[in-house]
Amino acid sequence: MQQALMVYPMVAMVLLTFVIGIWMLRLRIKAVKEGVLNPGYFLLNRGAKLPDGLAKVTQHYANLFEMPVLFYVSNSHYEAEGLK
């Protein structure tokens, strides 16, 4: 029973990552359609200043791949080993 409860935080983190990714994609498309960003910016992610809202979401998305990786590894190890 306790091991099953460990899956819920992992699923929540995965869902959060997908939600932020979709939000970032929508903001990027909006910025290109409004002419704020040139689509060529995304080839190398250089050459223009991102709008503040898009910069915040982009940084948040990047942060979701830093510390949560340790969370995923520790929870996966916990699940695999059946630790109590």
Side-chain angles (χ1 to χ4, degrees):
M1 173 79 177
Q2 292 297 332
Q3 275 188 312
L5 294 177
M6 291 298 293
V7 173
Y8 298 130
M10 289 180 64
V11 170
M13 284 300 297
V14 170
L15 287 176
L16 177 64
T17 302
F18 279 110
V19 167
I20 297 301
I22 291 168
W23 185 19
M24 182 178 64
L25 178 64
R26 292 183 69 189
L27 285 176
R28 286 181 173 193
I29 291 170
K30 180 181 173 187
V32 170
K33 282 185 178 180
E34 290 177 353
V36 177
L37 275 178
N38 181 353
Y41 167 81
F42 297 108
L43 287 174
L44 299 173
N45 288 330
R46 284 191 252 160
K49 183 182 181 308
L50 290 176
D52 288 340
L54 180 55
K56 288 177 185 177
V57 174
T58 300
Q59 185 62 44
H60 181 63
Y61 187 71
N63 288 341
L64 284 172
F65 288 99
E66 292 172 1
M67 283 303 286
V69 172
L70 296 175
F71 173 73
Y72 294 136
V73 169
S74 64
N75 278 352
S76 297
H77 178 70
Y78 178 85
E79 288 290 325
E81 295 294 325
L83 301 174
K84 296 185 186 212

